[in-house]
Amino acid sequence: MTTTLYGLKNCDTCRKARKWLDRFGVVHAFVDYREDKPTPEMLVEWARQAGGFAALVNKSSTTWRQLPDNRKAAASDPEWKLLLREYPQLIRRPVVVTDDGVMTQGFSDNGFKKRFGIQ
C-alpha cells in the first residue's frame, strides 16, 4: 500500500509522523502543501471524509487567529476551497492518504499503529 503524507516540511508533527513511517517501514511520499497546494478536488474529498471543511481546519493555529473574522466565517464550499488554497497551513496536519483513498488527519503513535495495522 502506498501512503502520501501531506503537510509542511518545517512542522514538528509532520516530522514526527515521517520518522514514525520510516521506523515502521511504511513506504510513503511527502508533499509539502505550501509548495504543492492541494487541488480543489482534493480539498472537497478530504472535507467529505473529515466531516466538512471546518473539520479540516486547525482553529488553534496562529494563521487562523490572525485571519479577519469575515474570512473565518466561510459559508460555502467555494469560500472554504479558496481559503484553504490561499492558506494551506490552516489544514490540520498531517493529512495521510493511502492508495485506497482513505484520508486521516493528525498524528499519534497509537493512531498510526491502528491505521497501518502495526502491533
Side-chain angles (χ1 to χ4, degrees):
M1 179 174 345
T2 310
T3 300
T4 305
L5 189 131
Y6 296 87
L8 302 175
K9 63 183 168 193
N10 294 328
C11 170
D12 288 338
T13 305
C14 292
R15 279 189 231 153
K16 289 176 190 174
R18 292 171 73 187
K19 284 181 183 178
W20 190 98
L21 293 170
D22 287 339
R23 185 172 79 233
F24 286 97
V26 177
V27 177
H28 66 282
F30 177 74
V31 177
D32 185 323
Y33 51 53
R34 193 176 278 160
E35 296 171 4
D36 189 12
K37 295 180 182 183
T39 65
E41 295 79 17
M42 290 169 71
L43 291 172
V44 167
E45 179 58 22
W46 293 355
R48 185 188 68 75
Q49 291 191 46
F53 279 100
L56 286 178
V57 176
N58 176 3
K59 293 184 179 172
S60 63
S61 73
T62 304
T63 305
W64 178 261
R65 290 191 307 266
Q66 292 175 347
L67 284 176
D69 287 340
N70 66 330
R71 293 302 303 273
K72 293 179 186 177
S76 66
D77 287 359
E79 288 179 75
W80 277 113
K81 286 187 281 188
L82 183 63
L83 181 67
L84 295 177
R85 296 260 310 148
E86 186 176 347
Y87 299 100
Q89 64 271 27
L90 287 173
I91 301 170
R92 215 165 41 96
R93 41 189 193 267
V95 172
V96 180
V97 180
T98 46
D99 58 3
D100 59 1
V102 175
M103 182 280 295
T104 56
Q105 284 182 283
F107 168 75
S108 72
D109 182 61
N110 287 336
F112 267 40
K113 282 181 180 174
K114 184 177 178 183
R115 173 88 158 93
F116 294 102
I118 294 172
Q119 301 296 332

